Each structure stands twice: as C-alpha cells, then as structure tokens.
Amino acid sequence: MYADSITIGLMSSEIILVGMAMFIYVVGAFEPKAKVWPWIACITYLVVLVFVPTYETPLWKQVVANGVSLNSSLIIDDLGQFVRFLAVPMGLLFSLMIWQRKDGELASERLGTLMLAVVGVMLVGRANDLTLLFLGLEMVSIPTYVLLFLGRRDRATAEATVKYFFLSILSSALLLYGLSFLYGLAGTTAIVGTAQAPGIREALSGVGTTTSLENMTPMATIALVLIFAGLGFKIAAVPFHFYAPDVYQGTNNTNAGLLAVAPKIAGIVALIRLAILLPAAVGAFAWQLALIIAILTMTLGNICALWQKNVRRLLAYSSIAHSGYMLIGIAVGLAGGAGGLSGALFYVVVYAAASIGTFAALTYLESEDKPLQGTDDLAGLGQTQPLAAATIAAAMFSFSGIPIFAGFWGKFGLFMSAVNLATTSTNRTISTWFIILAIVGALNAAIAAAYYLRIVALMFFYPSRGALPAEGGKASLVATVACGLAVVALGVVWNPLMDWSKIAEQKLSQPGKVAVQIDNSDAVATR
Amino acid sequence: MDIARLLIASILVPLFGAGLLWIISPAGRDSVRKTALIVTLITLVLSVMVVKAYPKNGVNGDGTTEIAVTDIAWSGNSPAAFNVRLNLGLDGLGLWMYGLSALLMVTSVLVSWEAITDRPALFYGMLLLLEAGCLGVFAARDIILFYVFFEFTLIPLFFLIGIWGSEDRRYAAVKFFLFTLAGSVLTFLGLLAIVVWDYKTSGAGVMRFSISELTASLGKNPLPANLQLWIFLALFAGFAIKVPLFPLHTWLPLAHVQAPTAGSVILAGILLKIGTYGFVRFSIPMLPDAAAECMPWILWLSLIGIIYGALVALAQGDMKRLIAYSSVSHLGFCMLGLFAFNKLGVQGGALQMVNHGLSTGGLFALIGMLYERYHTRDISKLGGLARRLPVLSFFMLVFTFSSIGLPGLNGFAGEVFILVGMFQRAFAEAPLATKCQLMAISVLSVSGVVLGAWYMLYLVQRVFFGPLKEEIVGHGDHGQAAHASATSHAAHGHDDHGHGAEEALPDNGIVDLKCREICALVPLVVFMFWIGLQPDYFLKRMSPTLTKLTQGAEESVQKTVQSQPSPATRLTQMAAENGEPDRVR
C-alpha cells in the first residue's frame, strides 16, 4: 500500500501537523525550557490555515468537481473541508491558551499532543472508512488523556483523568461494537461507496444487496443505538453525560475547554456521517431516539446548570445542554428534514467560538497556584478586567441565543429546521413531535438564559471581591478577544458560514448520487 | 438626500456613536455625555427628516404605504442560504413610534446628565445601543430583522437596570430579561412557522422573510384555523408579556421602579409599545381569523389590566410605582382600541401608543428630577412642592392632564377614539353572548378613565399642593438644612395668617428646573398640545396603513357574524326548540 501524489496533496495539512507534532516532541525533549515551542506551534497552525488551502483548494475543487469524491479511505466533500477549517483555528486558540503555563518543560508535550488531537478532528471530518473514522476519534481521545494528566498531580486531577479515561474507553468499545454491526450488514468498511464497490450507504439503502431493508432493521437498530451510545459520550449527551461535570471541575480551564470543544466537534461530525446511513433501514426509531435524547439532554443540562456554583461545572452542564440543541438538528436530519444537519454543523461552530472564548478568558484570569473555581470569583470583573468580561458576556449572550451574537443564528437554523419539518411533513407523528421539540428547545433557551445572565450580572452588577491574578498571559487574552470578536462577527456576517454548512448538507444527503473514486493512476486504492 | 439612506443612517449613527463613546471614555464624564447628546441630536434630526418625508395622506402615489424602503441581502446572496434581508422602511404604524424613539432618547440623555456618575461611557453607550435597537424595531420590514432588533433591545436595558438602578436592581434586571425572553422565544417559533407556511403554500420556492410579502401571501392562502390559533398564541406569549397584559405584567412595576430614570423613560415610552406594535404588525394582519376569535378574551384581559392597574396605582405610596401601574392601565386602553378592529378604535389605539410614550415618558423623567432633588419617591414624604418648584410643577400638571385625557391635550384624542371605537364594536352586529360581553367591556372600560384621573390627581394634589413638606433623605448637609428650614417655615406660617404664599421661601439648596431639564421636557409638551389640538395631522398619516393591517380581522369578525344567526333569529330558534321539544327529537 502506498499513496499517490493526489492523496498526499489532499492530506498535506494533516501531514504537516503530524510532522510538526513529532518535531516538537522529539526536539522538545532536548530543549524543554525553550520559549520557542508555542511560537512554532502557532506558526504551524497559521501556515496550515493560510498557505495550505491556497495549495489545496484548487486541487480539492478539481477533485470534487464531479460530485462527492473518494480517495482511498478519504471522502472529499464540503463537510470534511468545513471541519478541517474549524479544527485548525481551534488548535491555534488552544495553543495560545497554553503558551504561558509555568511548568515550561511540559510545553512541548502539551503543544504536540494538542496538535495530534487537532489532526484527529480533521481525520474524523473526512473519514470514509469505519476504521479511519474510529482511528480519528481515538486520535482525539488519547491526546486528551495525556493532556488531562500532564502537569498537575492532585487528587481532583487524578480522579478526572481516570474517570474520563475509563468511560472514554467504554464508549469507544460501544462504538466499535456498533461499527461491527455496520460491517456485518454491508460487508465493507467503506462508508460511501462507488458504483463498482458499494459501501455501507449503498447497502443500507437497499442498493446492490440481496438482503431486504426489513430484514436489516433489527441489526441496524442495534448499530444505531450503539453508535449513539458511543458518540453520545463524546458529545456528552444524556445519559452519557455524567462524567463531564466532574472531569471539567477536576482539570484546569484550558483542558476543560478542549474537552468541551474537540470531542464535541468530532462526535457531531461522526454522528452526521454515520447516523444518516441508517434511517432507511431503521425507520422511525432513528429520529425518535435522537429526539428523545435531544429533549433529555438539553433539559437536564440546563436545569442542572441552574444550581452550579463552580464555573467549570456550570459550563460543563451548559456544554451538555448545547449537545441537546445540536441533536435537534441530527433528529431533523434523521427524520428526513432539510436544514437539520447544516443547523447542527453551524451550531458547532458558534458553540465552539463562544466556548473557547469563555475558557480562554478563564485561563487568562487565573493563575496556576490560584485556579478560578467559584462563579462568585467573577464578581466585578466588568471593572477590573473589561476585555475578558466583555468576551465572557458576549459568549453568555451567544449561548443564550440573543441576537446580534452568533448563537442566535445557530438557534435560528436549528429551530427553523424543526419547524419546517413539523409544518411540511405529511406524517402527523413527525409534525407533533417536532413541534414539541421546537417548543422544548425554545423554552430551554429561556431557562438557560437564567444562569448565563447570572454570570453576566456577577461580572457587571456586583463589586469586585479582590482582583483575580490574571496570570494566564497575553496570549490567552489574544485568544479571548479573538473569540469575542468571532462571536460578534459571526452574528453580523452569518450567512457565508450558514451557506457553506447548507452546501455541506446538500452534498451529503443525496443518497441516489453515486460517488466517484478518483482514478489514482499511479496508486492502488486500499480496500 | 435619499430618504432610505437617511433611515439607515439614523439607525447606524447611534450604533457607531456607542463605539465612539467607548473610544473617548478616558476623556471623562463631561465629554462622554456631550458626545452622547450630540449623537442623539443628530439621530433626531435625521429621523425628523425621514418622518417629514412621509406623505400627508398616508399613501404614496402608487398606493403603497411605505417610504424609505431599503432592501439588501444580509450578506452574500446564495440560493442555499436563508434569504434574511436588511429590509428597512417606515409605514404609518411605525412612523410615529420611530419618531418618538428618537425624541425620547434626547430626553433620556438630558435627564441622566447629572444622575449618572458611575461608568458614564458604558451608560451612554448602552443608551445609544438601545436607541439603535428601538429605531430598528419600528423600521424593520423583515420578520427576522424585526426579531433581531426586538431581542437586541433586551441587552442594553438589562445593563441599564442592573448597573445604574436602585437597591433591588439586579433582581429586577434578571426578572425583566427572563420574562421577556421566555415569551419572545415562543414568538420566534411562531414567526418561523409563518415563514414556513408561506414557503409551503405560496409556491415561491424560497423562504421569504419580508413582512409585507408574508402579509400579502397569508391574505391569499390563510392558515387553517387551528394552526392560526396556535401561532397566534405563540406570538401572544411574547407580545403580551411586552405590553404587558394583565396576568403577565408582574415584571413591569419591578423593572420600572428599579430602573434609572432614563431606563424607565425608554421602557415606558418605547419598549412596551413593541408589544402592541407586534400585535398590529403580525398577529392581526397575518392571523386575522385567530385574532377575531381571540378578540373577546384579549379585550377582557385588557379590561382587567385597565381596572386592576388603576386600582393598584391608587394604593401606591411610591410615585414611580404609581406611574408604572398606570402604564399597565394605559396599555390596556391601547389594546382595547387595537382589538376593536374598527377604524376609530385602531386609530385611537395607535395614537394612544404615542400619547402614552409622551406622557408617561415625561412623568418618569419628572419623577427622576424630583428624586435627584429630594432622594425620595415616597408620596407621603413630600407635599406642596408647587411653591418650591413652580416650573417642575407646571410640567407635572401638563403631563398629568395629558395622561388623564384632558380635552385639548393628546390623551383626550386617543381615549375618545378608543372608547368610541369600542362602543361601535359593541353595537355592531354580533352573536348575543359576544355582544353582551363587548357591551360590558365597553361600559366598564369607561371606569378606567375615571380611576385614571383619580390616582393621577391624587398624586399631584398630595405632592405638589397643600402645605410644603420636604423631607430629605440622605442628601448630606443639604438635607439637614432643608429639613430644618422646612419645619421652621411651618412654624412661621402659623403666626403669619395667610401670608405664606407671598413670602420668600427659605433657601434650602433645592432649585427649580434647570435649562437642561426644561429642554428635555419642552418637546414632549409641544407634541402633547400638537396631538391634542390637531390629531388629524397624525391620524391621516397612520390611517391607510392601519386600515390595511386590520381590515382582514374586521372582515373575519363580520364573517363569523354572518355565518351565525343574529340574536333575534337565535332567540326565536331557541323558543321554537323549547316550545316543541318532541318535534326536535
């Protein structure tokens, strides 16, 4: 098995990142105290973000010109590209957040590990093979275990790491089990196939198989449930959410931020890739499952968050609730409605921007000896740290879906898809349930506003209780402000991104369209 | 210059003004407030130019009722994306509210001049953001753009109440925000459902968000009755909380009392009207059948609000609370007129929206000025202030008379139209049960006028007339001196029979209105007299739009009357059924 020039070209970003991660690891072992590693990491991300697309995009466009294209285990489509362009800035922002940590000798390990997790997210985005998809997800998880454990040695950290480690492994096992059913049904690990070599998508929509769809239903249902269980853990959906508050609380703000964002992006994308394969074989149970999980997740997350006194615990429940919103989109997609998957995709971005902004601000505000714990510590921040406070406030308003912040358009897309499906569907059950889903979602937005406003009120309406150390470094502040601006900018100029996510969905959900395997003249496609 | 550009500029100027304030904030309070004043004045000039351009009879040459229309894609223009547009324009309904917003903002800046010492740049910045939001709400012609402005107004007011309010401000700010948000998220779903229904039935092939297109389309393909009712209820949730209608009003007195003066002025003057505006803009024209069906219910709620608000206002010892409850009562009148669905009622309701903004905005401003001087709003601690503060008392009287509807002032025009409209509705042909209800509502609503006069005059009498009483709370040295002089004056007055009025008051450091404060109030008075003496000038511009918006609901009411037997036939039928039960079986 060897790769050709097209594959190398398409993978150039990932290759550069993995190479740089290795470089940082290896050379970092000899020069642990050098201040240069954060610079190198950030420059790498910038290079990937700026120069590689200029090289890659023409190639990508050429490859994708005849519809969805495959290249060995990669699928080249807008969804994949969307996720990759989301993952790289995420890596950049988190690198900024770990810039200033005192235990300088661990900087290279942190940065390299983070870079690998970013590559994991990017791989999940364009995996067209169950194996690659699973490897991508693990490439997100395993660096996270390391990051959780690096540096601190107290009991809370140990508990958080161990809890996350074991539950994550359990969820991976569940997911693998689910994937094995998919393999059993289709006889291949390729997700989207070509006319010559049908993949799981073709098999599960009844093309080119001898088994009828009805006979597939039991196994497909088991696969769906197991996939939801496995990926539900990654996105912290009820009932697989309970690790999140403890783990977030036990670790530092940077890691909590990473946990809130990276697995969420990977999980939602994997869910989009996998779950849409199944409705034809599973039937109505697919959307019912997603809908129930969505309702439970957002309601439970929001209600539990109301009583939290610890910042990270509160944000953990908030991140659970936001998974619930994203699942609205997944449920709509599973029920055959348009706009749901793109709504979830758009929501991931606005959620990530606001989340990273909040955690970056918290990182900036604390010092390693005096970590920020209670929400009360934020009191009076509006006067002592206006920039950080403004960013947190913008993020909170965005989380609660108030225009002109990005979160409003996220909710707009999701609610629109649910209302659209409910109004246009001829199926009465679907109409009823999705209108209930929309109403529950809307009311949840109001419940959530209660605790988000509490944070804003603390920062601006209460006097300060002693200045916070604010030793997170200038770099964290840069990340904070960048995210704050992104939250506002995406609220004002939301259409291009919404547009792109819609295109990604449209390209994705064209079941009749057979993908084209790129002719690798000098290569053997690996199967 | 192009009117449409002026309209956009009037919304952008305060927005950029807020940014400018942030930049110049290190320069100190004085330059900040001066800049804020200049920005609001520029906005006012721009908005006056826009309002003046509106056709005198309310209709353009081509039969449309909108001017200054801008319609540009929000960002990018791809067929895949949502076609939400930056679609702005003014018609007869939004016209005066838009103008009023620009006017009251100047007043707000002027009344905050001395009162705000803490973080002035943030305060005036929030005020300017609020101004942009208010102007945008009334100018938005896109359903989502409307909602964006509608929700956006929450954020600045949340900060205004929460940072610069009175003791209980934090609770008030959060309660205000959550109450309004809880309702408006349901409104949002309702608006989305309207868009989707249009998408499904119009055959346009794309989702349309333009309010005028949607109204026209829903006129052609009306929603089925049960769906209309659901969507009406969803819209009702947000708008009724904003108005506020009776059982949903509990956030209002709290927010009003705790808000800083400027916040109260804007909240009462403009933000509450977004609720009534929403009803006329969306609920009534887009869901006429549901509106007709819900009419008696909404009228009952409005009536309860009128009487309940007035009675509670009577019992208040705090001036600001009193005015806050009077708002509940007055907004009930607006709703009464708007849901009468006939020409007079709707015009009265729409006019009363402006009237209430002027009078209650002015009253809140005055109470703020009193509070700056005496540091109390307690009615029982003040008295006879007409001697100490004649100019302030003059304004107070004018605003009071405007509020209670003295002929010649604006309140009279509005209330008369509303009541006449309501009686017309009650006398119109209707099924017996409805007719009885409407009659009862019309008759009882008149009591609201009487009660309104009672509590307002009671307030004026206690605070501004009678023996001078100036109890000063927490005013430092001033307070001590003033208190002493006030008591000494009372003792003095006993010896000197009847000559108290002529004698000079002892100076206690409390001065009458300054030029700045008079400037804040005079425009309001001018408009009160203008509307009172020449209501036609204002009504003519509104009338065609209002007719267009409400005729669907009026027709729907008539349709139900025709489909049901008239009371007389119904009675004979009932008699026949009772007389010959066997045959019926």
Side-chain angles (χ1 to χ4, degrees), chain B residues 252-254 256-257 308-330 356 360 363-364 367 377-380 396 400 403-404 451-463:
Chain B
L252 178 75
L254 189 67
H256 263 321
V257 173
Y308 171 84
L311 288 176
V312 179
L314 256 178
Q316 296 306 317
D318 181 308
M319 288 189 269
K320 228 173 168 182
R321 267 194 114 73
L322 190 150
I323 306 295
Y325 277 106
S326 86
S327 287
V328 176
S329 183
H330 284 158
H356 177 259
T360 307
L363 283 169
F364 274 122
I367 289 168
R377 294 186 302 253
D378 200 333
I379 297 175
S380 59
M396 184 74 190
T400 302
S403 169
I404 64 182
L451 287 171
W454 187 1
Y455 61 73
M456 282 312 296
L457 291 176
Y458 175 77
L459 168 71
V460 171
Q461 183 218 340
R462 292 276 300 274
V463 175

Side-chain angles (χ1 to χ4, degrees), chain B residues 521-544:
Chain B
L521 298 173
V522 163
L524 306 184
V525 175
V526 169
F527 274 96
M528 283 174 189
F529 278 103
W530 192 354
I531 299 178
L533 297 173
Q534 211 185 359
D536 209 34
Y537 181 87
F538 296 86
L539 289 175
K540 259 198 320 211
R541 285 164 172 74
M542 288 197 281
S543 172

Side-chain angles (χ1 to χ4, degrees), chain B residues 45 63 137 218 227 240 264 276 285 318 322 326 346 397 436 467 482 531 553 582:
Chain B
V45 170
V137 161
L218 289 183
L227 199 55
S264 300
T276 45
D318 181 308
L322 190 150
S326 86
V346 174
L397 273 182
C436 293
I531 299 178
D582 296 340

